[in-house]
Amino acid sequence: MTIAQAPFARRAATLAALAFANTMPAFAQQAAPATAGTLGEIRVNANAERETATSPVVGYRAKRAVTATKTDTPLAETPQSVTVVTREQLIDQGATNLQDALAYAAGVRSDAYGLDSRADSVKIRGTEPSIYLDGLQQNSAGWYTSTTRPDPYTMERIEVLRGPAGMLFGAGTAAGVVNMVSKRPLQEAQREVGVQFGSWNRKQVQADLTGPLSEQWSYRLVALHRKADTQVDHVPDDRTVIAPSLAWRPDGATSLILQGFWQKDQTGSTSQFFPWAGTLLSNPNGQLPTSRFIGEPGDRYDSDRKSFGWQFEHRFNDQWTLRQNLRTSRNENDSDYFYANFFGNGADVAAGGWSVDPVNQRLIQRIYGRGITRTRMTGADTHAEGRLQTGAMQHTLLTGLDYSRQREHVRESDAQFSVIDAYAPVYGVALPDRGDLPNTRSTTQRNVGIYLQDQMKLDRWIFVAGLRHDRATASTDGGDSETTTATTKRLGLMYALPAGWSPYLSYTESFTPQGGRTITGGLFKPLRGEQVEAGVKYLPDGVPVAFTASVYRLKEKNRTVSDTTDPVRFGRQLDQTLNKGVELELKSTVGKNTDVIAHYNYLDADRKLEGTPRHQASVWAKHRFAIAGVTGFSVGAGLRYMGDFVDAQGGPPGPRVPSVTLLDLMLAYDTDTWRFALNANNATDKTYVSTCLARGDCWWGARRNIVASATYRF
């Protein structure tokens, strides 16, 4: 399908361009007084001149980021695509998980596997990114069983770096990095407590307290407790989070932030792995309800995460600064649930996945899975930053070493257990022994990398060059170890025009060690990624607009995919996959009272990969207004569009997943001390399928979710 054949995508792209164009005359009018009945924009920010890559931001437009360079660098001087989701955007859009938080980010598909209580399924430019917290990776091996879903309430911002980042972060995917930045202690007292009530019996209390303890010490405490259900019967969504932090700033040159964290989740699996027929395709019994649960009440998917770490910085002089980020964490995942056995091939898929009951299409064969995964991870990144000058050229030199070690112990058992009528389920069958599990070998993953980067400025020219060498070793107790070494590099060139336009060109690489063996017994080769990106940014000084347009060519070698033609289900490696795309992103203030976010993605993805839509677009607008002279009201609305696609990974293609457009709404009232808000995501309650895989199973998308909140600031 061509761009001209995507009417909504074309309209969304046009809307983004119009919104961008409409900001131009507004800039000249900002000094004019507000007309009667309107609310002029009044935003007081004592730290406006001191915005950093980790500080709070007023509005939706951050000026600086740290993820793309590991230094506090203006986005206008960063020759690569970066999206920053600010705290204010998270609040306005009512984000309750990472997928919600990235729903309006360019280049991102945030609901790659629909509603999934086990993990945040995110894709960037067609593949899964690496997830980081404060510059350190959350987990370096495994899947959802190795970590716990983050909560947006604990975050100050989220930075999305699109494309390979091996030179900066070592082993990782070609998609890029999602780096979550934690809330940190502030020297200015800011305290709030709040409650939420919403769909699926959601009840949540939360608190965020920060301020000074003395001239040198400050603190922050973020906490929440939630009891909730989900749109799937018998699957809860309960959570408790406590995140204390303490900052010591003895002088203007030294700072140390100590961070603790504990999170406990009690949930189940909203992913039922339903077949094509009854979700996307017709079924003689009708469509399966999105609330249908084919497990047993009492199924669970629980996690418990604890971590402690610090962020240290010392400036020796005006040229040199030393930093170290360190975190050690322990995560335990306890899963105990049923799921549908629809990983069929051949006749199974031909019957729409109903391998047990291909004629009546009512009975589903269930698999019972029981597993306990314990993961310990320690990561440290130590680097020195030098700001030097050679002749007319300015340098920001970065040299460092990072290390991570992950130890994972898994005990699990899967067994085909029973058959259930998906259209009239009867629960209460005898459960398997949920006692002892067989011991499996523990695995250890170690990564060590050294890197050197130079950001150079000569007049209006900006150059970035970096080189890194990594050594990654994976071992199993009592077994052999596998070592992967890799050298990755990056190059970037940018020219800053006087009017705020900055065209750029960049080249980046990535590598990812891959465990396992092929069907012939050989070891999998490391996954390699290369990207060439060209674009232009418009971020003028003193003008409330940020616009980025980019094109890219992303190539991967040795990607491992499942092979549906192999009955034993060994994976196989692809010689090469190629994704090409175009991305447009706009963040602006139109007039004085309206903030706009818009993006459009076109992705020409290799059909060998899991299905990804060619066209995605979104637009979100927030308008502030007054009623009868009472200020503080705001209303927001957003549209999210995902084009149709077909998954063909590992064998014959699956059914075509149709396009979908979703509406999000927000209404809020703010005073100096109170905020009342009502958010509705998927406000029209559209039933849609997020993904159907070629192997035979589908995921439902999230239904309408309404959350009412009240927050008291003091």
Side-chain angles (χ1 to χ4, degrees):
M1 182 174 67
T2 65
I3 295 179
Q5 292 172 314
F8 181 91
R10 186 171 64 250
R11 291 197 302 271
T14 302
L15 180 58
L18 287 174
F20 170 67
N22 286 339
T23 60
M24 295 304 183
F27 302 149
Q29 301 169 3
Q30 286 187 2
T35 59
T38 65
L39 171 64
E41 180 180 17
I42 301 175
R43 294 189 178 189
V44 179
N45 180 15
N47 297 320
E49 298 301 321
R50 295 182 285 113
E51 179 182 322
T52 71
T54 58
S55 68
V57 175
V58 173
Y60 296 164
R61 291 173 291 106
K63 299 176 182 178
R64 312 178 72 89
V66 69
T67 306
T69 58
K70 285 194 175 181
T71 63
D72 190 339
T73 302
L75 291 171
E77 299 178 6
T78 304
Q80 197 167 343
S81 293
V82 182
T83 294
V84 179
V85 181
T86 66
R87 181 75 203 146
E88 188 167 327
Q89 182 180 339
L90 293 173
I91 293 172
D92 286 344
Q93 295 178 344
T96 60
N97 53 59
L98 186 61
Q99 293 183 193
D100 290 347
L102 299 178
Y104 288 85
V108 178
R109 188 185 175 197
S110 65
D111 64 340
Y113 296 102
L115 182 73
D116 190 346
S117 56
R118 304 168 304 163
D120 293 294
S121 304
V122 176
K123 288 189 178 182
I124 299 176
R125 294 183 173 177
T127 190
E128 297 83 4
S130 301
I131 307 298
Y132 279 68
L133 174 64
D134 295 324
L136 297 174
Q137 195 166 15
Q138 283 282 74
N139 63 307
S140 61
W143 181 224
Y144 43 84
T145 57
S146 300
T147 190
T148 298
R149 298 183 75 185
D151 196 291
Y153 190 69
T154 65
M155 303 173 196
E156 189 62 57
R157 62 162 70 189
I158 304 171
E159 298 184 355
V160 181
L161 173 63
R162 303 195 288 280
M167 184 261 121
L168 290 167
F169 297 100
T173 73
V177 168
V178 174
N179 183 33
M180 303 170 292
V181 178
S182 299
K183 292 178 176 178
R184 305 182 183 196
L186 302 177
Q187 278 297 113
E188 178 184 358
Q190 297 181 16
R191 299 179 294 269
E192 69 172 42
V193 293
V195 295
Q196 293 183 354
F197 299 94
S199 302
W200 327 119
N201 299 313
R202 180 186 183 92
K203 297 179 288 290
Q204 178 169 306
V205 295
Q206 58 197 35
D208 180 6
L209 313 173
T210 186
L213 295 172
S214 68
E215 290 186 0
Q216 296 184 353
W217 293 89
S218 56
Y219 76 97
R220 193 153 195 168
L221 176 63
V222 181
L224 68 86
H225 179 70
R226 178 172 72 238
K227 297 287 289 185
D229 298 322
T230 65
Q231 74 182 45
V232 178
D233 296 338
H234 306 293
V235 178
D237 181 24
D238 300 342
R239 170 172 292 172
T240 301
V241 175
I242 301 175
S245 56
L246 188 65
W248 177 54
R249 300 179 179 91
D251 51 49
T254 305
S255 69
L256 173 66
I257 301 175
L258 303 175
Q259 296 174 306
F261 185 85
W262 175 66
Q263 178 173 326
K264 183 177 182 62
D265 287 359
Q266 293 179 305
T267 183
S269 176
T270 55
S271 298
Q272 302 295 295
F273 300 90
F274 286 140
W276 298 344
T279 51
L280 186 60
L281 304 181
S282 62
N283 185 300
N285 304 286
Q287 188 181 72
L288 285 164
T290 57
S291 61
R292 179 63 74 235
F293 176 72
I294 55 88
E296 289 291 327
D299 285 3
R300 67 180 185 270
Y301 188 91
D302 300 341
S303 59
D304 190 308
R305 181 177 179 85
K306 304 179 183 70
S307 69
F308 175 77
W310 63 71
Q311 298 173 47
F312 173 77
E313 177 179 308
H314 178 70
R315 189 172 69 251
F316 293 99
N317 48 46
D318 291 340
Q319 285 78 42
W320 288 99
T321 301
L322 177 69
R323 300 186 186 92
Q324 184 183 70
N325 291 351
L326 180 144
R327 183 172 63 247
T328 181
S329 61
R330 178 184 183 276
N331 194 83
E332 180 172 327
N333 177 276
D334 189 343
S335 59
D336 181 0
Y337 61 92
F338 291 84
Y339 55 96
N341 182 18
F342 285 104
F343 310 105
N345 53 36
D348 298 351
V349 172
W354 292 90
S355 56
V356 174
D357 191 11
V359 177
N360 297 319
Q361 298 185 13
R362 295 184 63 93
L363 303 180
I364 286 182
Q365 183 184 59
R366 303 184 299 180
I367 297 177
Y368 170 73
R370 173 85 170 98
I372 298 176
T373 302
R374 292 186 175 92
T375 306
R376 294 181 180 270
M377 186 170 185
T378 299
D381 182 9
T382 306
H383 61 252
E385 177 186 327
R387 295 186 177 268
L388 313 171
Q389 187 155 341
T390 57
M393 182 173 289
Q394 302 173 17
H395 300 262
T396 300
L397 192 66
L398 187 75
T399 180
L401 179 147
D402 64 27
Y403 167 83
S404 67
R405 179 184 185 273
Q406 177 167 301
R407 174 79 170 172
E408 186 172 87
H409 180 71
V410 181
R411 300 168 59 200
E412 61 182 355
S413 175
D414 284 321
Q416 294 182 0
F417 183 68
S418 61
V419 172
I420 193 170
D421 186 336
Y423 285 88
V426 176
Y427 308 120
V429 300
L431 296 174
D433 181 12
R434 299 193 177 193
D436 292 337
L437 289 169
N439 283 315
T440 60
R441 293 179 177 178
S442 297
T443 60
T444 303
Q445 176 78 39
R446 296 181 180 87
N447 299 280
V448 180
I450 55 174
Y451 55 90
L452 176 66
Q453 176 183 265
D454 193 3
Q455 298 169 252
M456 297 160 275
K457 292 180 65 177
L458 178 62
D459 193 18
R460 294 187 176 277
W461 290 96
I462 299 168
F463 308 89
V464 178
L467 191 68
R468 177 183 176 119
H469 183 74
D470 284 274
R471 180 182 179 88
T473 301
S475 60
T476 304
D477 288 358
D480 297 331
S481 62
E482 302 175 17
T483 299
T484 301
T485 60
T487 299
T488 51
K489 53 186 175 291
R490 75 177 302 188
L491 296 169
L493 175 64
M494 197 174 208
Y495 185 76
L497 293 165
W501 294 93
S502 300
Y504 68 90
L505 179 68
S506 68
Y507 171 81
T508 53
E509 297 178 340
S510 67
F511 86 100
T512 312
Q514 300 188 103
R517 295 178 180 271
T518 66
I519 193 171
T520 60
L523 298 175
F524 284 133
K525 300 176 182 178
L527 176 65
R528 304 277 181 168
E530 299 178 1
Q531 177 182 273
V532 176
E533 178 180 319
V536 62
K537 298 185 179 185
Y538 181 65
L539 297 104
D541 291 335
V543 179
V545 64
F547 175 73
T548 302
S550 61
V551 296
Y552 62 89
R553 185 177 186 272
L554 177 58
K555 181 175 66 175
E556 285 187 304
K557 295 178 61 177
N558 307 323
R559 171 170 280 275
T560 302
V561 298
S562 59
D563 190 348
T564 59
T565 64
D566 171 28
V568 185
R569 297 301 168 83
F570 284 92
R572 61 187 178 91
Q573 291 193 286
L574 305 176
D575 292 334
Q576 180 174 298
T577 60
L578 180 64
N579 289 353
K580 298 177 289 184
V582 178
E583 294 169 356
L584 307 174
E585 184 173 43
L586 169 72
K587 293 188 176 185
S588 180
T589 299
V590 182
K592 295 184 177 182
N593 304 314
T594 304
D595 296 325
V596 176
I597 300 173
H599 88 267
Y600 169 71
N601 308 330
Y602 171 76
L603 174 62
D604 184 5
D606 197 309
R607 296 299 95 186
K608 301 172 188 175
L609 301 178
E610 284 188 0
T612 303
R614 285 198 172 192
H615 303 278
Q616 281 184 259
S618 73
V619 60
W620 167 272
K622 170 191 171 183
H623 180 68
R624 296 173 292 277
F625 62 98
I627 297 178
V630 179
T631 62
F633 292 95
S634 60
V635 63
L639 287 173
R640 293 177 281 135
Y641 169 80
M642 180 185 71
D644 61 344
F645 64 93
V646 173
D647 176 47
Q649 185 190 32
R656 181 168 296 277
V657 178
S659 62
V660 64
T661 302
L662 303 175
L663 172 68
D664 302 323
L665 298 174
M666 178 273 289
L667 176 65
Y669 173 63
D670 284 271
T671 70
D672 290 340
T673 55
W674 284 96
R675 174 181 171 85
F676 301 96
L678 183 68
N679 288 88
N681 291 339
N682 187 4
T684 60
D685 199 21
K686 183 167 292 186
T687 299
Y688 70 101
V689 172
S690 175
T691 295
C692 279
L693 300 182
R695 68 188 187 185
D697 50 336
C698 296
W699 277 264
W700 288 118
R703 298 288 296 273
R704 178 169 54 211
N705 185 30
I706 299 176
V707 177
S709 60
T711 303
Y712 176 66
R713 308 182 185 102
F714 59 100

